[in-house]
Amino acid sequence: GDSVTQMEGPVTLSEEAFLTINCTYTATGYPSLFWYVQYPGEGLQLLLKATKADDKGSNKGFEATYRKETTSFHLEKGSVQVSDSAVYFCALIHTGGFKTIFGAGTRLFVKA
Amino acid sequence: GAGVSQSPSNKVTEKGKDVELRCDPISGHTALYWYRQSLGQGLEFLIYFQGNSAPDKSGLPSDRFSAERTGGSVSTLTIQRTQQEDSAVYLCASSPWGDEQYFGPGTRLTVT
């Protein structure tokens, strides 16, 4: 069946460091891929998405590229801030489908 | 506009009791999802509604779990004869087209 695998956390970085959170997936066909973020004490919210191969999703300085050849959707940010501290979830859904598969989440701590 | 709301925000119940969790989706969203998030775990898909219909109930953990949606709007997740392993945060999300999801703040269920 479909699955999403994320790098285990927690990830601890200093402010202004470069961030990469790895996400790989297993799925038939061409799913849409998402990154959701959960800030402390808040609900999940969509961070970015990509719906087809080679698409790049971007938002708030974060970006991720849909790589079909490597079945990956790694999240990157060039310079993290303390306010980026949160849990990040990678997810997939099939076009026209409904069942969404989430990764286990990666907790990010950013130190001032 | 109003987002997804869930009630109660916290629920403490004794083992063996029944509980009802409520979700009010964003107005006009036809798709509605329920997930369970256990401590330190990712999101576990429970059930999906398109309108009032649930095409796939296979994600429900056991026959103690049921869900309904009326009027294409409010949904209720019912857990009968609660067990300690049911303790988790139950998240509801809605979507206008079954793709990008908007999450509620969740209901934290504690079974003592």
Side-chain angles (χ1 to χ4, degrees):
Chain A
D2 296 350
S3 66
V4 174
T5 303
Q6 292 181 233
M7 64 186 291
E8 288 191 22
V11 174
T12 303
L13 296 173
S14 296
E15 209 166 21
E16 299 184 2
F18 185 87
L19 169 70
T20 299
I21 299 178
N22 290 338
C23 171
T24 57
Y25 67 91
T26 302
T28 56
Y30 302 89
S32 294
L33 302 175
F34 303 83
W35 278 100
Y36 284 85
V37 59
Q38 188 172 31
Y39 297 104
E42 298 184 16
L44 273 83
Q45 55 188 274
L46 179 69
L47 180 60
L48 55 83
K49 69 177 184 181
T51 58
K52 61 183 188 295
D54 299 324
D55 268 3
K56 177 184 286 188
S58 61
N59 186 26
K60 300 182 181 180
F62 290 89
E63 58 182 35
T65 301
Y66 189 139
R67 301 286 189 200
K68 185 162 177 61
E69 64 274 14
T70 55
T71 62
S72 65
F73 194 54
H74 304 321
L75 182 68
E76 297 182 335
K77 186 174 185 182
S79 176
V80 293
Q81 305 300 312
V82 172
S83 57
D84 295 326
S85 298
V87 181
Y88 294 82
F89 293 90
C90 186
L92 71 82
I93 188 169
H94 284 283
T95 302
F98 55 85
K99 187 170 182 176
T100 307
I101 308 298
F102 280 83
T106 303
R107 184 174 296 277
L108 170 66
F109 291 106
V110 180
K111 303 179 296 184
Chain B
V4 177
S5 61
Q6 292 185 245
S7 60
S9 55
N10 280 284
K11 177 70 176 179
V12 180
T13 190
E14 293 180 352
K15 177 181 172 181
K17 300 282 190 182
D18 298 351
V19 294
E20 284 190 353
L21 312 179
R22 177 186 169 106
C23 173
D24 283 89
I26 293 172
S27 178
H29 282 195
T30 58
L32 186 147
Y33 304 76
W34 282 100
Y35 297 89
R36 179 167 69 176
Q37 186 176 25
S38 300
L39 187 62
Q41 303 295 312
L43 276 71
E44 176 187 3
F45 171 87
L46 298 180
I47 193 168
Y48 158 85
F49 287 92
Q50 178 60 41
N52 292 334
S53 300
D56 184 350
K57 300 180 180 180
S58 63
L60 295 175
S62 74
D63 58 8
R64 296 185 295 104
F65 287 72
S66 63
E68 64 176 16
R69 189 180 185 193
T70 55
S73 182
V74 173
S75 177
T76 303
L77 178 69
T78 301
I79 309 173
Q80 296 178 309
R81 306 180 303 281
T82 51
Q83 304 295 311
Q84 288 186 330
E85 61 263 28
D86 299 335
S87 296
V89 176
Y90 289 82
L91 296 171
C92 175
S94 69
S95 175
W97 50 77
D99 183 346
E100 175 180 335
Q101 295 172 43
Y102 297 78
F103 283 82
T107 294
R108 182 176 299 278
L109 174 67
T110 303
V111 182
T112 60

